[in-house]
Structures are given as structure tokens and as C-alpha cells.
Amino acid sequence: MIHPKEEKTFVMVKPDGVRKGLVGEIIKRFEQRDLKIVALEMFQATRDQIDNHYPKDEKWIRRLGEKTLGTYEKYGRTVVDLEKDFGSSDLLEVGKQVRGWLVEFMISAPMVRMVVQGVHSVDMVRKIVGPTMPYMADMGTIRGDFSVDSPLMANVERRPVQNLIHASETPEEAMHEIEHWFGTKTIYQYKRFGIDE
Ligand code: IDP
Ligand code: MG
């Protein structure tokens, strides 16, 4: 087992976060919570890179579709509405369409990628970022403080929910994403005052 202080997670400021000028604010919130930035870069992703970033397995894609249907039902809309908006009520097909919107969005402007290290960094970062849907995110989280999007609006406009940041959800996802985005790059080591010495 790695030392708890060595836990790393992957974060990307999405195009909406960059275009809203939130790069500094986002990094600040991780650093002020004693998390350490150990790799950092602005870049523009290729379609292929994003396609390989989001899982391609049926289970993950279907989950996106299920989430979408869940939102429809929560707001009194039905499978019939889903079929009208997506041309299908097959949740795998719905998930594929949402994934496609995501890929297009993520290549639309530069992003900032980083590796964040610290005790429970995966969970800590997700907590600081807030839940996927900004309209549900508490004040004090990044998504809660700086965005208000909802899938109800996004699905009608045929675009992904804009929630400023991507952050790994599990240590396994983090490992895969760090390898994918920083595989050939340097992850730095240094001692943070007050944390490492
Ligand atoms: P996460 O980014 O909080 O980890 P995931 O469930 O992994 O959320 O979904 C990936 C991304 O897909 C979300 O950040 C969001 O941009 C988009 N997304 C998720 N569900 C929907 C939806 O129902 N409609 C449109 N976009 C969605
Ligand atoms: Mg995710």
C-alpha cells in the first residue's frame, strides 16, 4: 500500500472553467485545503484523447443514459419525452449521445490538466468540487459557487452539463487517468511547508 500522503488524483478544468477565468480560483481551493499540485499544464485535447479518457464500456455508457432518464422522471417527464429528445428510449443509445456531446465540448477550448496529491485526495477533491449537477451542489463547493447548470436544460440544448471540472471518482479511475494524461510527463515531488516537514 502506498503512504496515505502519496494518494494522487486527476483533475481537469473543463472549457467552461477556463473560459470563465476560474483556473486560479480552482487551484487555490485545492491548495488551501493542504492538497499539493504535483503536475500542471494547459493544453487543447484531441478528439481521440477525450474519446479514450471517458470509459467506453457499455456499463458506463448505460449509466449515463440511466442518469438522464432519472432526471427526466424526477421532473415529471417520461420515457416518451426521452424518446422525443433522443430519438430512442434505449438507455445505451441515450448514453452514447451524451458521451458524444461531452467529447465535442471537451475539445472546444483549451483545458488545464493537473495531478493533485494528498491524504484522501480522490475523495477530498470530489468534496471540494461538489456533485455532478451544479444546481444540486452546495454553496462552498466549486460547482456550487460558480455554476448553475442542470441536465434538464443541457439535454434540451443537446450539450453536456457544464460543471467546470472533471475529477476522478475512485483511486482506480485516478490511476487510469493519470497514466492517460501524464503517462510520459513528469509528476513532481517536493515538500509542502507544514504538511511534509
Ligand atoms: P462527474 O463529472 O461528476 O464525474 P459523470 O457521471 O462521470 O460526472 O459524467 C461525466 C460528465 O457527463 C459530467 O461531468 C457532465 O458534464 C456530463 N453529464 C452527466 N450526466 C449528464 C446528463 O444527463 N446530461 C448531459 N450531460 C451529462
Ligand atoms: Mg465521472
Side-chain angles (χ1 to χ4, degrees):
M1 200 191 107
I2 59 161
H3 191 284
K5 278 185 184 174
E6 302 283 311
E7 183 173 314
K8 294 178 180 67
T9 190
F10 175 74
V11 174
M12 232 165 8
V13 183
K14 292 181 177 182
D16 50 328
V18 171
R19 296 186 62 195
K20 280 185 169 175
L22 290 171
V23 174
E25 177 68 33
I26 288 166
I27 292 173
K28 188 196 86 179
R29 289 184 178 219
F30 298 140
E31 286 192 323
Q32 79 183 7
R33 201 69 201 270
D34 279 356
L35 291 164
K36 192 157 70 169
I37 310 298
V38 291
L40 179 70
E41 187 186 353
M42 179 173 271
F43 72 108
Q44 181 130 14
T46 64
R47 182 172 275 105
D48 249 25
Q49 278 176 319
I50 298 298
D51 193 43
N52 289 318
H53 163 75
Y54 285 111
K56 285 183 181 171
D57 58 287
E58 221 175 82
K59 198 170 140 228
W60 191 89
I61 299 174
R62 194 177 290 279
R63 190 194 62 141
L64 264 185
E66 281 163 6
K67 276 190 178 177
T68 309
L69 175 61
T71 314
Y72 270 61
E73 288 174 337
K74 186 170 169 200
Y75 293 102
R77 304 181 74 212
T78 62
V79 176
V80 177
D81 296 307
L82 190 76
E83 192 154 355
K84 225 183 283 162
D85 291 349
F86 287 87
S88 169
S89 56
D90 174 2
L91 297 184
L92 181 62
E93 174 55 31
V94 171
K96 275 186 190 160
Q97 288 188 34
V98 175
R99 193 182 186 282
W101 302 341
L102 257 174
V103 173
E104 292 309 315
F105 177 64
M106 300 284 270
I107 61 176
S108 68
M111 298 194 284
V112 172
R113 59 184 157 194
M114 65 188 101
V115 178
V116 180
Q117 182 180 321
V119 182
H120 294 296
S121 58
V122 173
D123 288 344
M124 287 295 300
V125 163
R126 287 293 297 196
K127 196 158 80 160
I128 294 166
V129 167
T132 306
M133 299 305 166
Y135 79 104
M136 295 286 286
D138 283 333
M139 297 316 198
T141 64
I142 298 170
R143 284 169 170 168
D145 285 350
F146 298 105
S147 55
V148 74
D149 206 12
S150 100
L152 219 52
M153 213 155 72
N155 294 343
V156 168
E157 294 175 1
R158 304 191 64 73
R159 58 168 180 77
V161 169
Q162 296 191 2
N163 51 19
L164 307 170
I165 299 170
H166 166 82
S168 314
E169 291 175 64
T170 62
E172 294 71 44
E173 205 173 274
M175 224 155 65
H176 166 257
E177 291 175 353
I178 290 170
E179 173 57 31
H180 177 57
W181 291 108
F182 283 96
T184 59
K185 295 168 186 287
T186 309
I187 311 286
Y188 290 90
Q189 292 192 3
Y190 62 96
K191 290 189 195 300
R192 270 262 321 246
F193 290 131
I195 301 171
D196 297 318
E197 56 187 26

